[in-house]
Amino acid sequence: MNALKTRLDICAAVALVTFKEWAAYRSHSMVSIFVGPVFFIAQYFIWTAVFASGAMPGMELEEVIRYFAAVALIGYLVMDFADWNLSMLVRTGKFLTFSLRPLNHSFFALSQKVGHRILGFLVEFLPCCLIFVFVFGIDMRPAYFGWLLLSVSLAFLMNFYVNYSIGLASFWIVQSGGIRSVYSLLGGIFSGALIPLVFFPVSLQRLQFFLPFQYTSFVPAMVFLGRYSLGGIELPIPVIVGVQAVAVAVVFIFAEILNSLAMKKFTAVGA
């Protein structure tokens, strides 16, 4: 219990420092308030036109509209750039200072993300949510608030550990930007952020159960709507959140193994 309390205290301290640091540049974050509404407006006109030509199997127009509003808001909460930050530290040799500390860098980076996203919640998520509710008149009440909170938390962790794993590739190839670009491209398509996965071919839908993408966006968005169906498989909300938790656990274990191998590889080039 003492060890857990110590780690929580460290996480809180790092998160607070990160919050204060980024709060000094909050105007930069506030600019992104417009990203969510603009993204939503574009999706609104696209899918209204699509449904005007006939019904689409899998979702109703009202569900699609609420789905993309949820996706935009969830994006503010799970956004992450751990891969870029870690790659920069390795490339410049500054990671050496972290390798000499008793605190694992992955935990430090996760704590940083907590503070950064708390700021994002205040200056990005809340204003955008109010815009959706009072300007666009969208019902943003989740079907299951508790399960949604858990699912978004898991999406937060999934996004972090996948990106951190990509950043760890820098210990072998120095510059992981190419991997990051490929993952971002695939993630944009298969996370459900651009097109709900229920509109994909059934074979591709079922493949998503074994890939990390849907667990960062599509799953929490469907939990928000209160129902989950993919590849002809319908799962109760508690079950799909459980599947999401297992996926996060697998990625976490992979990231820890990769991190252990990376520490043996580190040579502090550029220090």
Side-chain angles (χ1 to χ4, degrees):
M1 290 298 293
N2 290 333
L4 177 60
K5 183 179 183 302
T6 299
R7 290 183 71 83
L8 289 176
D9 289 341
I10 293 174
C11 179
V14 174
L16 180 59
V17 171
T18 304
F19 178 91
K20 291 181 177 180
E21 178 182 1
W22 281 90
Y25 304 97
R26 57 188 176 276
S27 58
H28 176 271
S29 298
M30 293 179 69
V31 171
S32 64
I33 294 175
F34 300 100
V35 174
V38 170
F39 167 81
F40 170 78
I41 291 173
Q43 294 291 352
Y44 175 84
F45 284 115
I46 290 172
W47 290 99
T48 298
V50 169
F51 275 85
S53 62
M56 295 287 290
M59 298 180 73
E60 300 292 335
L61 177 59
E62 182 181 356
E63 280 187 313
V64 171
I65 291 174
R66 296 184 69 224
Y67 171 88
F68 279 112
V71 164
L73 293 178
I74 291 168
Y76 287 131
L77 299 178
V78 306
M79 186 274 288
D80 180 73
F81 49 84
D83 53 340
W84 178 89
N85 189 53
L86 180 56
S87 179
M88 180 272 295
L89 291 175
V90 175
R91 189 172 62 254
T92 60
K94 294 180 180 179
F95 187 83
L96 176 62
T97 61
F98 289 96
S99 66
L100 299 175
R101 299 177 187 180
L103 180 64
N104 186 291
H105 179 264
S106 63
F107 181 73
F108 178 83
L110 178 61
S111 302
Q112 282 186 310
K113 180 177 178 179
V114 171
H116 190 261
R117 287 303 84 205
I118 289 176
L119 179 64
F121 174 80
L122 296 175
V123 303
E124 297 173 324
F125 176 91
L126 287 180
C128 189
C129 185
L130 293 175
I131 290 173
F132 284 154
V133 173
F134 294 106
V135 176
F136 296 114
I138 303 173
D139 181 5
M140 295 306 301
R141 292 173 297 180
Y144 305 102
F145 179 79
W147 287 114
L148 177 62
L149 184 62
L150 178 57
S151 183
V152 170
S153 299
L154 290 170
F156 175 94
L157 293 173
M158 175 64 83
N159 214 26
F160 170 78
Y161 283 114
V162 169
N163 284 329
Y164 194 81
S165 295
I166 293 173
L168 287 171
S170 298
F171 287 95
W172 286 270
I173 62 176
V174 181
Q175 178 57 265
S176 62
I179 299 177
R180 181 186 188 189
S181 297
V182 172
Y183 178 80
S184 297
L185 175 62
L186 295 176
I189 298 172
F190 295 117
S191 68
L194 298 178
I195 303 174
L197 297 183
V198 294
F199 298 140
F200 279 67
V202 174
S203 58
L204 282 179
Q205 292 184 39
R206 292 179 177 175
L207 179 62
Q208 301 313 309
F209 284 101
F210 306 98
L211 299 175
F213 306 114
Q214 71 154 330
Y215 302 109
T216 63
S217 186
F218 180 75
V219 169
M222 296 306 290
V223 172
F224 167 80
L225 294 178
R227 69 180 187 86
Y228 177 89
S229 177
L230 190 66
I233 302 172
E234 293 187 13
L235 296 176
I237 294 302
V239 174
I240 187 54
V241 174
V243 172
Q244 185 185 17
V246 171
V248 171
V250 170
V251 172
F252 167 74
I253 293 172
F254 174 79
E256 288 297 300
I257 294 174
L258 195 61
N259 186 45
S260 178
L261 295 174
M263 292 306 99
K264 298 176 182 178
K265 182 74 175 178
F266 181 55
T267 57
V269 174

